[in-house]
Amino acid sequence: MRHRPTALVLYNWRGQWPMRRWERQRIFAWKAHFPGRIVFFNIGFSFDPAWITALDPDLVLIDATALAARYAAKGSDALERAVAAAPARARRVAAPLDEFLSLRRLRDFLVEARIDLLLTALDPALWDSFYPVADRPYAIRRMLTAYVDEPLIRVARRVSPDLARRSIAVSYRAWETPAWLGEMGMLKRDVGLRAAAWARAGGHRADVAVDGEGRLAGDAWIRLLGASRAVVGVEGGSSVIDPAGDLALVEVAPLSGAGWTPPPSVIVATGSAEVRALSPRHLEAAVTRTFQVLVEGDYSGVLEAGAHYQPVKRDLSDIEAALDRSRDLAYAQAMVDRSYQEIVASGRYSWRTAVREIAAQVLA
């Protein structure tokens, strides 16, 4: 190994701009914290694989955006050419999201690409069912969907006064959830609708959108959180698992659409078999010291009910009472301050810590 290693980050981006903060940081946080030279390579555009070969990287990190190329033949070809061009000696790390989609293609790629380390947001209890031990020649490490970074802390510090000085009672954003996310998708929508109803009934100001029309990019979402006393939410994830990749071949129906039937290959998961994880917005709310009213869950072992968030039953029967706790400013301020100290100020969930620990493991 050379004294100062070179890392190549493969990503795939031809989408909306500006990128959401957590998407941008997931890709580019490596620049600030990797102990060596870092090069970023967008496989979403035409490229010559010889450039990767000439770079001769020690580490190839395949971001979730690049791994999402498995959904289409053209994208898969670009990803395979890029990885194949790296030297055989290079260590290979894959960091997928949405592992419930096209799972078999993902598993096949991990083996064919000779991945050394898989970074997954899945609960460890699901690892063996998603990635059977007999077909797993790579190591696995849990990785959150996002981490805290210094730029986020600086922005939040500017726009996040104490709760008593905030003008919005509750905020929330969700996209028009597709039917194939199942019950988890319904929760993402319903929790916002119930929060908006609570605000209307009490004459409180709310900023809630569940149809994707109110999408906020860059620092706009952080500013909204900083102006809000409370935010509602649920774990990220899905109640549907798509091993064969058939969901990519069917028309996407919104939850409001009637009569949608999943392909026969799709598995409808319940209980602990659902795919659930902490989402970036939960960490962003911790950084802005916003009172979180969340459907009870594990939240990747990061958030603890009653300590870091006000829990709500999955049927949302007690969401109004939970939101009422945000009106008790002494109680709410104590909770958000504790959440900030234990999650943000501790540095346990920072990009600095995550990148250095991953680099140390894979380059050892």
Side-chain angles (χ1 to χ4, degrees):
M1 181 72 67
R2 291 178 296 229
H3 178 68
R4 190 167 184 266
T6 295
L8 172 67
V9 177
L10 299 178
Y11 70 103
N12 180 15
W13 194 262
R14 298 188 65 169
Q16 59 200 14
W17 193 264
M19 302 170 75
R20 288 178 292 184
R21 170 181 284 277
W22 70 269
E23 289 173 318
R24 185 178 71 247
Q25 283 306 111
R26 185 178 173 91
I27 298 171
F28 296 107
W30 293 82
K31 181 177 181 179
H33 306 300
F34 182 73
R37 179 189 181 199
I38 191 85
V39 178
F40 298 91
F41 195 84
N42 188 350
I43 66 170
F45 297 89
S46 297
F47 64 89
D48 183 353
W51 186 90
I52 296 176
T53 303
L55 180 67
D56 192 27
D58 301 292
L59 170 65
V60 178
L61 175 69
I62 309 169
D63 178 66
T65 54
L67 289 165
R70 69 184 184 274
Y71 304 149
K74 183 177 180 180
S76 294
D77 177 67
L79 176 58
E80 290 166 5
R81 287 190 298 115
V83 174
R89 66 172 185 81
R91 305 287 286 175
R92 291 164 164 80
V93 178
L97 290 174
D98 294 343
E99 292 158 270
F100 54 88
L101 293 173
S102 299
L103 177 58
R104 288 178 193 158
R105 293 181 192 171
L106 176 59
R107 287 196 299 225
D108 289 345
F109 171 79
L110 296 176
V111 174
E112 293 165 2
R114 304 190 308 280
I115 296 300
D116 297 291
L117 177 64
L118 171 67
L119 304 175
T120 177
L122 289 176
D123 187 308
L126 297 178
W127 288 0
D128 290 350
S129 61
F130 271 67
Y131 306 105
V133 175
D135 303 318
R136 196 170 76 203
Y138 42 83
I140 299 185
R141 178 190 178 99
R142 195 174 198 180
M143 181 179 182
L144 301 182
T145 58
Y147 291 88
V148 175
D149 67 336
E150 288 300 322
L152 172 59
I153 294 174
R154 288 195 295 270
V155 172
R157 190 177 294 126
R158 292 197 304 268
V159 302
S160 306
D162 288 345
L163 297 182
R165 297 167 54 200
R166 302 190 186 192
S167 60
I168 300 172
V170 63
S171 61
Y172 182 68
R173 287 293 186 274
W175 55 308
E176 189 175 30
T177 316
W180 45 258
L181 285 181
E183 185 180 352
M184 288 289 292
M186 294 180 65
L187 274 174
K188 295 175 194 295
R189 178 194 63 182
D190 291 350
V191 72
L193 295 176
R194 291 288 293 272
W198 169 83
R200 285 194 302 271
H204 311 306
R205 182 183 174 192
D207 193 331
V208 174
V210 298
D211 57 4
E213 293 299 319
R215 179 185 176 275
L216 299 175
D219 292 339
W221 168 246
I222 306 305
R223 289 194 294 270
L224 176 59
L225 284 176
S228 305
R229 287 193 297 275
V231 62
V232 294
V234 63
E235 288 172 293
S238 175
S239 300
V240 171
I241 301 170
D242 172 36
D246 290 337
L247 286 178
L249 305 177
V250 300
E251 182 178 353
V252 177
L255 281 169
S256 56
W260 184 79
T261 301
S265 62
V266 164
I267 299 168
V268 178
T270 59
S272 60
E274 287 182 328
V275 176
R276 305 178 195 168
L278 180 87
S279 85
R281 64 179 58 189
H282 301 132
L283 289 177
E284 292 164 344
V287 176
T288 58
R289 302 182 194 237
T290 305
F291 186 75
Q292 299 194 66
V293 176
L294 307 177
V295 175
E296 54 190 357
D298 178 65
Y299 292 90
S300 300
V302 176
L303 300 184
E304 180 182 345
H308 305 132
Y309 73 93
Q310 190 67 32
V312 174
K313 294 178 181 178
R314 193 174 171 102
D315 64 6
L316 306 183
S317 60
D318 57 348
I319 190 171
E320 290 81 11
L323 282 164
D324 285 341
R325 297 308 305 268
S326 70
R327 308 283 293 167
D328 182 342
L329 293 180
Y331 173 83
Q333 190 69 55
M335 180 175 284
V336 301
D337 288 345
R338 179 172 53 250
S339 178
Y340 185 91
Q341 290 301 317
E342 295 179 0
I343 295 171
V344 181
S346 69
R348 293 176 60 193
Y349 306 107
S350 69
W351 272 114
R352 177 187 300 273
T353 299
V355 169
R356 290 185 175 181
E357 289 183 353
I358 293 166
Q361 177 179 348
V362 77
L363 293 175

